[in-house]
Amino acid sequence: YPNVAPLHYLKAQVYGYQQNVQMVQAELNRAIELDPNYLPAYSALASLYINTKQQDLAIAEYQKIIARRPDNATPYTLIGILEFERKNYDAAVDNYRKALEKDPNAIIAANNLAWLYAVTGKGNLDEAMRLAQGVVQKNPNVAGFIDTLGWVYYKKNLHTAAVEQLRKAVSINEAEARASNVSPSAAYHYHLGMALKETGNKDESRRELEAAIKLAEKAPFAEVEDAKKALATL
């Protein structure tokens, strides 16, 4: 069956396990050639380009999906993630907003947009808070979403509320890390330490910042130098 697109897609997956990038790309392109509406091949090509650090090509594949399925929120979200990583914040905002227009329940887009507003100063923090609260209400046990809400509260100077949420994020994350035998998130401890610092709880803030810096030895995070500076002021 040489002209069946899904079989070429499956063949690409096999080449992927062999780490044969050239043949993965060839088989996926053949699948698309046979069936231009076979969307899994576009998604797989985009993933291949992400893994090979060709973000422009990955975005182009997601845009091809949008051209064929304009009501699909997912490719907008994925483009938003790539643009955020490239620090193209306006483009990231635009794509997250488009995802939410297509699907108001696009949880990742809502969380990421709230996070972007909190860490870049772009957008409206009231909107960020509304988005983050909505995400956590629907997903009350996801550490990453709770951390976003806590950090939005921190940026809004609602430090007591921030500490409450960030404690939850740290607790859930540590339990999951123990269950999976991996290290917990250094960033969550950093966020909690910063919020505690603003409430005047210096001792606990110091412990959390020290924990973040120690964890960063295994898995560095973006704000590790900020954590060290904050610790030095306690």
Side-chain angles (χ1 to χ4, degrees):
Y1 301 95
N3 298 321
V4 178
L7 294 181
H8 286 278
Y9 171 80
L10 291 174
K11 194 174 179 182
Q13 306 310 303
V14 176
Y15 281 126
Y17 282 112
Q18 296 178 337
Q19 298 184 345
N20 188 334
V21 173
Q22 183 176 357
M23 289 307 299
V24 171
Q25 187 173 1
E27 290 297 333
L28 291 174
N29 281 323
R30 179 58 178 156
I32 291 169
E33 179 184 342
L34 291 168
D35 183 358
N37 292 315
Y38 189 64
L39 300 186
Y42 294 101
S43 295
L45 262 180
S47 296
L48 172 68
Y49 292 139
I50 291 170
N51 291 334
T52 55
K53 303 187 185 306
Q54 301 179 80
Q55 292 173 318
D56 285 335
L57 294 178
I59 289 171
E61 294 303 319
Y62 290 134
Q63 288 172 338
K64 291 175 185 176
I65 295 175
I66 290 169
R68 288 161 176 79
R69 291 281 302 276
D71 293 331
N72 187 345
T74 301
Y76 286 111
T77 299
L78 295 170
I79 292 173
I81 291 170
L82 291 173
E83 295 291 16
F84 180 83
E85 290 176 352
R86 301 198 297 183
K87 295 182 171 55
N88 293 336
Y89 298 131
D90 290 338
V93 168
D94 183 56
N95 279 280
Y96 288 143
R97 285 194 171 283
K98 287 178 180 176
L100 289 167
E101 287 172 6
K102 304 301 179 184
D103 179 7
N105 294 314
I107 297 299
I108 300 299
N111 175 78
N112 290 8
L113 184 56
W115 177 256
L116 189 155
Y117 286 164
V119 300
T120 66
K122 290 181 174 290
N124 186 303
L125 281 177
D126 289 329
E127 182 185 1
M129 187 166 65
R130 177 184 61 77
L131 289 167
Q133 287 172 336
V135 170
V136 171
Q137 284 171 1
K138 295 174 183 175
N139 302 269
N141 297 310
V142 179
F145 296 159
I146 298 168
D147 177 71
T148 295
L149 177 58
W151 201 237
V152 170
Y153 282 152
Y154 173 81
K155 292 291 185 174
K156 285 277 294 178
N157 294 319
L158 302 171
H159 299 127
T160 300
V163 167
E164 179 184 359
Q165 295 301 319
L166 294 168
R167 282 192 200 280
K168 291 179 187 176
V170 167
S171 177
I172 292 172
N173 175 248
E174 288 192 332
E176 292 173 343
R178 285 192 298 270
S180 303
N181 195 29
V182 297
S183 295
S185 168
Y188 296 173
H189 283 278
Y190 164 69
H191 293 155
L192 177 55
M194 294 298 290
L196 286 164
K197 183 173 181 287
E198 293 301 323
T199 64
N201 191 338
K202 292 185 178 182
D203 290 339
E204 193 175 358
S205 174
R206 183 179 294 106
R207 287 196 295 272
E208 293 297 330
L209 292 172
E210 287 174 345
I213 294 167
K214 184 175 181 181
L215 287 167
E217 294 173 0
K218 294 183 178 179
F221 66 105
E223 303 99 333
V224 63
E225 293 303 321
D226 292 334
K228 292 177 180 178
K229 291 176 182 177
L231 182 62
T233 65
L234 290 171

